[in-house]
Amino acid sequence: DAGVIQSPRHEVTEMGQEVTLRCKPISGHDYLFWYRQTMMRGLELLIYFNNNVPIDDSGMPEDRFSAKMPNASFSTLKIQPSEPRDSAVYFCASSLGTGSNSYGSPLHFGNGTRLTVT
Amino acid sequence: AQTVTQSQPEMSVQEAETVTLSCTYDTSESNYYLFWYKQPPSRQMILVIRQEAYKQQNATENRFSVNFQKAAKSFSLKISDSQLGDTAMYFCAFMTDNNDMRFGAGTRLTVKP
């Protein structure tokens, strides 16, 4: 099991540029989550998917942020245009979660992408 | 809405000693799950321990154990025989049956030699 795979590990970009973060969940996991971590706000849930369908995107900060999950093995988080205040570590996580035996399954996290917008 | 509160921003402990990290939560749900995650300087989020709210028995994993007080909505983590490798941020987390997980602000633990 390769775990949750995120790319890139680091991203430095200039304000106004488009940024795309990528995530490959653990095979067989039905849920995929995107979190943002900053010193000021801690770990914030941005959006999560169940079986590739967005369930709750109320944490997405504004229209500049969008997330997609075109299939069970891939998701993207896009910021367009990026701003300096978007600088943070972005985590992707996946979990089992369907079926009565899978409730409360822990999240498995990727190594995160550290985004710096200058 | 569920909230998770970790009232200790930083703690320290001597190697081989025992330390307890506090966590309280607020919810109107009757069924839920509680977790502790560890984040070392490598920034990887690592599951430490999991507790199901309907189970009265406190979860244990080797040197890690919890004190789950459902009526008080308290979920503390005890680390016994602390090791230098336990130095990390520790996050308490809460999950309901809809599977989304919410985190506390974290406690930075330093284990001193």
Side-chain angles (χ1 to χ4, degrees):
Chain A
D1 183 356
V4 175
I5 299 173
Q6 289 187 248
S7 64
R9 185 157 174 82
H10 303 278
E11 177 79 34
V12 180
T13 191
E14 292 183 349
M15 183 174 62
Q17 297 298 306
E18 177 179 296
V19 175
T20 299
L21 311 181
R22 297 173 175 79
C23 176
K24 176 179 170 58
I26 293 173
S27 177
H29 281 190
D30 297 320
Y31 282 78
L32 184 138
F33 304 80
W34 283 100
Y35 285 86
R36 177 172 69 176
Q37 185 178 31
T38 61
M39 289 292 293
M40 292 298 295
R41 302 174 70 90
L43 275 158
E44 302 173 275
L45 177 63
L46 300 178
I47 184 171
Y48 73 100
F49 297 82
N50 179 22
N51 291 323
N52 313 336
V53 176
I55 302 301
D56 184 353
D57 65 354
S58 60
M60 296 286 264
E62 44 195 280
D63 291 344
R64 298 184 297 106
F65 286 68
S66 63
K68 295 182 179 179
M69 192 166 186
N71 57 63
S73 60
F74 184 66
S75 178
T76 59
L77 177 67
K78 185 176 293 186
I79 309 172
Q80 167 63 19
S82 59
E83 297 182 3
R85 61 194 168 117
D86 302 331
S87 297
V89 177
Y90 291 82
F91 284 100
C92 175
S94 70
S95 74
L96 294 169
T98 55
S100 59
N101 293 327
S102 299
Y103 288 122
S105 296
L107 272 60
H108 298 259
F109 284 80
N111 287 326
T113 295
R114 180 176 294 280
L115 173 65
T116 303
V117 184
T118 60
Chain B
Q2 283 71 233
T3 59
V4 181
T5 302
Q6 294 180 249
S7 59
Q8 305 152 314
E10 294 188 20
M11 293 192 71
S12 64
V13 63
Q14 292 294 132
E15 193 174 9
E17 297 294 308
T18 295
V19 64
T20 298
L21 309 183
S22 300
C23 174
T24 58
Y25 59 92
D26 188 24
T27 184
S28 58
E29 300 286 338
S30 59
N31 193 35
Y32 50 88
Y33 310 86
L34 296 161
F35 305 82
W36 280 96
Y37 278 84
K38 166 185 176 181
Q39 186 179 40
S42 66
R43 86 170 180 239
Q44 175 68 33
M45 292 288 286
I46 302 166
L47 176 68
V48 175
I49 203 163
R50 172 182 178 271
Q51 174 80 41
E52 298 174 11
Y54 62 86
K55 288 188 176 179
Q56 293 186 340
Q57 184 174 6
N58 289 325
T60 63
E61 287 287 342
N62 300 315
R63 298 182 295 106
F64 299 88
S65 62
V66 299
N67 183 5
F68 175 46
Q69 302 290 326
K70 191 172 184 178
K73 297 181 179 176
S74 171
F75 182 61
S76 60
L77 175 70
K78 185 172 80 172
I79 306 174
S80 303
D81 185 25
S82 297
Q83 300 175 359
L84 296 178
D86 295 334
T87 292
M89 283 288 289
Y90 286 81
F91 293 96
C92 179
F94 176 99
M95 175 192 283
T96 60
D97 279 343
N98 64 3
N99 283 293
D100 78 276
M101 183 177 284
R102 308 287 172 159
F103 289 85
T107 296
R108 183 176 301 279
L109 176 67
T110 302
V111 179
K112 299 179 178 179

